[in-house]
Amino acid sequence: MTFGEQPAYLRVAGDLRKKIVDGSLPPHTRLPSQARIREEYGVSDTVALEARKVLMAEGLVEGRSGSGTYVRERPVPRRIARSGFRPPTGATPFRQEQADGEARGTWESRSAQAEASVAVAERLAIRPGDRVMCTRYLFRDAGEAMMLSTSWEPLAVTGRTPVMLPEEGPLGGMGVVERMAAIDVVVDNVTEEVGARPGLAEELLALGGVPGHVVVVIQRTYYASGRPVETADVVIPADRYRVAYHLPVK
């Protein structure tokens, strides 16, 4: 194979992808069988199988037990707005993760004390094994699962205070900024790092994705005078949502 030449399975996958995108193979249409691909493109069974695997990994097709492989309906991506600090009037967890003032949604959560992993400890500038409050959220928009979030707060900051449990107490359900202010911890900075990876099985199960789907991961950390007081991983299905940032000019 010369430089720049694609392997046969990628050429076949590319042609089938083009047919899906331009509507020649519309949603819910059965993908040509492995034998049909082999005959139409003059390739081996192995090449035909690998081409189908590529399309499945890209989320363009899905297997249906006992029926075959079908073109998936491609959702129109919706926008998730993010803009750093939230309004001074307070922010619910849904608004904390979706900063669009017109957005409405619901969430489920559960909190439990845990030991900080090496990665979480590094993000919170604490020691591995230190106690943290771990809270897991599932956010829904119009009943549809749209986002997961797992947050960690060092109990050295919030332990034995009214805000130790993010969803309980007098400020239960408020944002990090408001809760921390209630214990005289002033959040003055927040950072977010955005990346992408294949979704974990449990994430895709909760979000309604299929194996191989890619998720956007936002790694967020709140700081008070340089000290991390909360860090979280926000997970969003990449095929259904786009993350939009509003960055005001100071």
Side-chain angles (χ1 to χ4, degrees), residues 53-64:
K53 286 182 178 178
V54 167
L55 298 177
M56 190 165 290
E58 292 177 351
L60 294 173
V61 301
E62 61 184 352
R64 298 179 186 174

Side-chain angles (χ1 to χ4, degrees), residues 17-201:
R17 183 190 304 113
K18 180 177 180 297
K19 292 179 179 178
I20 292 172
V21 171
D22 69 16
S24 300
L25 286 172
H28 311 297
T29 299
R30 186 172 180 176
L31 193 71
S33 67
Q34 187 170 316
R36 175 75 177 274
I37 293 174
R38 182 190 64 211
E39 295 171 3
E40 183 174 341
Y41 292 95
V43 296
S44 66
D45 280 329
T46 300
V47 168
L49 178 61
E50 290 302 313
R52 290 161 63 91
K53 286 182 178 178
V54 167
L55 298 177
M56 190 165 290
E58 292 177 351
L60 294 173
V61 301
E62 61 184 352
R64 298 179 186 174
S65 180
S67 179
T69 303
Y70 291 79
V71 176
R72 292 184 67 243
E73 187 161 359
R74 300 176 67 201
V76 177
R78 287 177 282 175
R79 188 174 70 102
I80 289 181
R82 304 187 71 79
S83 60
F85 290 116
R86 305 312 186 251
T89 53
T92 67
F94 186 85
R95 286 291 308 284
Q96 178 170 301
E97 304 301 356
Q98 159 65 297
D100 186 342
E102 297 182 357
R104 297 291 182 271
T106 60
W107 66 92
E108 306 161 15
S109 68
R110 65 180 187 276
S111 296
Q113 294 190 31
E115 294 184 354
S117 66
V118 172
V120 168
E122 182 178 358
R123 288 161 59 174
L124 289 174
I126 59 179
R127 295 172 300 180
D130 281 359
R131 303 295 291 176
V132 295
M133 183 62 68
C134 176
T135 304
R136 302 180 187 278
Y137 292 90
L138 170 61
F139 296 91
R140 299 181 186 276
D141 182 15
E144 177 185 319
M146 63 172 294
M147 188 188 324
L148 301 173
S149 178
T150 303
S151 69
W152 299 269
E153 296 178 353
L155 288 176
V157 175
T158 62
R160 299 184 180 181
T161 74
V163 301
M164 184 174 74
L165 292 170
E167 292 298 303
E168 298 180 24
L171 289 180
M174 298 298 287
V176 173
V177 175
E178 294 80 8
R179 290 177 46 250
M180 291 295 169
I183 56 173
D184 297 322
V185 175
V186 179
V187 172
D188 54 17
N189 191 28
V190 58
T191 64
E192 292 193 345
E193 297 181 10
V194 183
R197 59 167 169 77
L200 304 178

